[in-house]
């Protein structure tokens, strides 16, 4: 059994950046489809990239304080030390 350690700030920041790259590509494509203009689509995607990186980072850090569903917060029925819950099997 493995316990997950809380995430470091650097990891949260890198996750925010990688998610925004994907999200910004999506925003660019949708904006281009709606407006039909590359300049507008690029402007929209550029602005939202930076604002949403910041928002995601703080959202991620806030969730680090929520114990619900975290493997390191599951306590055995015997009131022993916290243990990790077994991951469900994935059917193929």
């Amino acid at each position: 059994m493995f316990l997950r350690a809380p995430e470091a700030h650097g990891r949260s920041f890198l996750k925010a950046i990688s998610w925004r790259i994907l999200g910004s590509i999506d925003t660019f494509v949708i904006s281009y489809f709606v407006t039909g203009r590359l300049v507008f689509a690029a402007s929209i995607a550029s602005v939202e990239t930076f604002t949403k990186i910041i928002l995601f980072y703080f959202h991620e850090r806030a969730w680090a304080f929520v114990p619900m569903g975290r493997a390191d917060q599951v306590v055995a029925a015997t009131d022993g030390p916290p243990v990790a819950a077994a991951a469900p099997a994935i059917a193929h």
Side-chain angles (χ1 to χ4, degrees):
M1 300 272 172
F2 295 103
L3 294 177
R4 283 188 79 177
E7 291 193 354
H9 293 276
R11 178 178 167 86
S12 293
F13 188 71
L14 288 176
K15 285 172 63 177
I17 291 172
S18 67
W19 176 246
R20 276 319 328 142
I21 290 170
L22 182 61
S24 295
I25 291 168
D26 178 58
T27 298
F28 176 81
V29 170
I30 291 169
S31 298
Y32 181 68
F33 179 73
V34 171
T35 66
R37 300 187 63 186
L38 286 174
V39 173
F40 285 165
S43 296
I44 293 167
S46 296
V47 170
E48 68 89 39
T49 296
F50 295 105
T51 59
K52 289 187 179 173
I53 285 173
I54 294 165
L55 290 172
F56 182 84
Y57 173 81
F58 286 111
H59 179 263
E60 196 59 23
R61 297 314 302 169
W63 269 98
F65 292 103
V66 177
M68 180 183 71
R70 286 180 37 173
D72 60 343
Q73 297 297 315
V74 177
V75 178
T78 61
D79 291 324
V83 296
I90 299 174
H92 292 281

